[in-house]
Amino acid sequence: DAVALLGAHSLGYGHHDNSGHDGMWMDNEPETIIFNKRYYEEILRRAWRLRDPEDTTPTLDLDKHLDAPKQDWTWAGPNGGNPRFMLNADICLAFDIEAGGNCCTRIRDQADELGEAFCVDPRLNLTPTDIAALDGTIRECPSSATVRPRAREAVDNFAVGTGRGNADVNGPFYEAFSAAWQRATERGYSEGQLHDLANTCDVTTQPTANPTVSPTDAPTSTPTVSPTGRPTGECEDFNGTFKDNNDRDRQCSWVISGDRNRCREFAYLCPVTCDQCQCLLTNHVCETDDDCCSAQCIGEVGNKKCECRGKNQLCTHSDQCCSGECRSDGTCSGNRNRHRTHQHTTAAAEM
């Protein structure tokens, strides 16, 4: 029940003046008004590191945060002036932070990216060489599966969801939250003591019908019955039909049929058909940063696209850069001629 009720952190913000914890739990502002399972996805997908919200000085030595009067967690994204954060109560659902101490919840193990890069404060402006030197010095937080197995199992279950369409994908979370909310709000009352609110301000003598415990579907920016996110595990196309931009049922074979290539809009559903199993190219529709070769999925909910990295931004490979060139010092060049050549080559490959 506690894991389900904490899912309400998908809504709203923390404010420094109220709690001392500043920022939002979700990865972008539009998501903070949508009640769904995104909270659990954020706990698992990000590289969360310790933060003292009272200390604004960037540092690699996070041990001092262990004894800070106020303590929470943040991730290494630029944050846009509105920090993303999680409380100890959030992180401990999935990770054993008591045993981990100063740790990072996720250190990626990829050949073309330095996992530690996502665990350090970007304001330190570390070069890839500096980050490579951190290998082994930043520990990954252990899973809570051994100390709080039911909590970890619930987080995993709510994050994955089941079925197709927004309501079904969020189904396990909605069902658990609804039951937990009913138990929490009705505790201490005898049967018959609580009644549904009346639909009028007038005095009534008869109670209204019994309330329902099933929440309504979470709002989305555009109606959809297609699954969210790219397929995980072994790369495969979505097996079934999905809606195109005109609300017509389509299959992956349609994406490259005729004289049009529609991979820009549908590669995240049909990665095999579009030959984009590793990651999505610039300007392609995406769901999360992890979808994109550039590791940057930008935009409002329902209209997010992979964006490339500009001049002098950190990079590990050329596909991340708008110019198409990741220099030897680990930053993107600003050579626009190379950018046009790279984009032309990419477009030709898609066709």
Side-chain angles (χ1 to χ4, degrees):
D1 284 1
V3 178
L5 291 174
L6 279 168
H9 280 167
S10 62
L11 301 173
Y13 300 77
H15 198 286
H16 187 277
D17 292 341
N18 295 330
S19 65
H21 300 281
D22 190 39
M24 56 189 181
W25 286 268
M26 297 298 95
D27 61 329
N28 58 65
E29 292 190 15
E31 288 286 348
T32 63
I33 61 172
I34 300 177
F35 184 62
N36 59 14
K37 67 185 179 72
R38 190 63 171 264
Y39 164 77
Y40 306 100
E41 295 175 347
E42 288 297 301
I43 290 177
L44 297 177
R45 72 154 58 108
R46 302 295 176 189
W48 296 100
R49 57 181 171 81
L50 275 171
R51 179 183 73 157
D52 175 2
E54 302 290 343
D55 186 359
T56 59
T57 303
T59 177
L60 269 175
D61 181 14
L62 301 181
D63 285 327
K64 62 179 182 177
H65 295 338
L66 291 171
D67 299 317
K70 290 188 177 70
Q71 180 190 92
D72 56 31
W73 300 70
T74 190
W75 48 269
N79 289 330
N82 193 339
R84 278 59 165 172
F85 85 106
M86 290 279 173
L87 300 171
N88 287 340
D90 301 311
I91 295 297
C92 77
L93 298 179
F95 301 96
D96 184 7
I97 57 178
E98 294 90 345
N102 176 13
C103 59
C104 180
T105 62
R106 183 184 180 194
I107 299 178
R108 302 182 183 185
D109 184 17
Q110 297 179 197
D112 58 349
E113 288 186 290
L114 299 171
E116 287 78 8
F118 300 91
C119 300
V120 299
D121 195 321
R123 294 175 298 173
L124 292 170
N125 294 318
L126 299 184
T127 67
T129 301
D130 295 331
I131 295 172
L134 299 175
D135 184 34
T137 64
I138 299 179
R139 294 182 298 107
E140 190 167 71
C141 303
S143 169
S144 64
T146 56
V147 292
R148 286 176 292 278
R150 293 181 62 189
R152 179 57 193 247
E153 182 181 1
V155 171
D156 292 339
N157 184 37
F158 297 160
V160 174
T162 57
R164 294 194 307 161
N166 188 67
D168 290 334
V169 168
N170 289 286
F173 166 53
Y174 284 167
E175 182 178 351
F177 183 90
S178 179
W181 180 260
Q182 184 176 17
R183 282 190 285 269
T185 54
E186 295 183 2
R187 186 175 179 83
Y189 293 91
S190 301
E191 185 176 355
Q193 284 186 292
L194 296 176
H195 304 292
D196 192 15
L197 291 175
N199 293 323
T200 176
C201 293
D202 297 334
V203 177
T204 61
T205 56
Q206 292 291 337
T208 55
N210 291 331
T212 175
V213 297
S214 299
T216 57
D217 293 349
T220 57
S221 56
T222 55
T224 176
V225 295
S226 58
T228 57
R230 299 179 67 208
T232 56
E234 183 179 352
C235 183
E236 58 183 12
D237 285 346
F238 174 60
N239 183 21
T241 61
F242 53 86
K243 298 292 186 182
D244 65 11
N245 296 330
N246 295 315
D247 204 34
R248 296 172 179 169
D249 289 334
R250 301 292 188 182
Q251 294 182 321
C252 285
S253 57
W254 164 82
V255 173
I256 58 172
S257 64
D259 58 353
R260 288 192 57 191
N261 185 307
R262 305 172 180 88
C263 286
R264 191 180 301 274
E265 294 86 3
F266 300 103
Y268 75 104
L269 289 174
C270 309
V272 176
T273 296
C274 295
D275 193 23
Q276 294 188 45
C277 283
Q278 295 298 319
C279 55
L280 299 178
L281 302 175
T282 299
N283 290 328
H284 281 54
V285 173
C286 56
E287 295 288 330
T288 70
D289 291 343
D290 291 339
D291 291 342
C292 305
C293 299
S294 63
Q296 294 190 136
C297 182
I298 307 296
E300 296 185 356
V301 178
N303 191 31
K304 300 174 73 171
K305 295 183 179 180
C306 297
E307 291 193 3
C308 53
R309 302 184 181 187
K311 183 179 180 181
N312 294 330
Q313 285 190 290
L314 289 177
C315 58
T316 55
H317 54 82
S318 295
D319 281 345
Q320 295 178 327
C321 302
C322 298
S323 63
E325 179 183 15
C326 182
R327 297 179 293 205
S328 58
D329 65 354
T331 62
C332 294
S333 74
N335 188 331
R336 292 298 173 181
N337 289 331
R338 183 176 179 85
H339 168 60
R340 286 193 290 269
T341 301
H342 173 71
Q343 293 292 82
H344 176 75
T345 302
T346 300
E350 290 181 1
M351 296 180 66

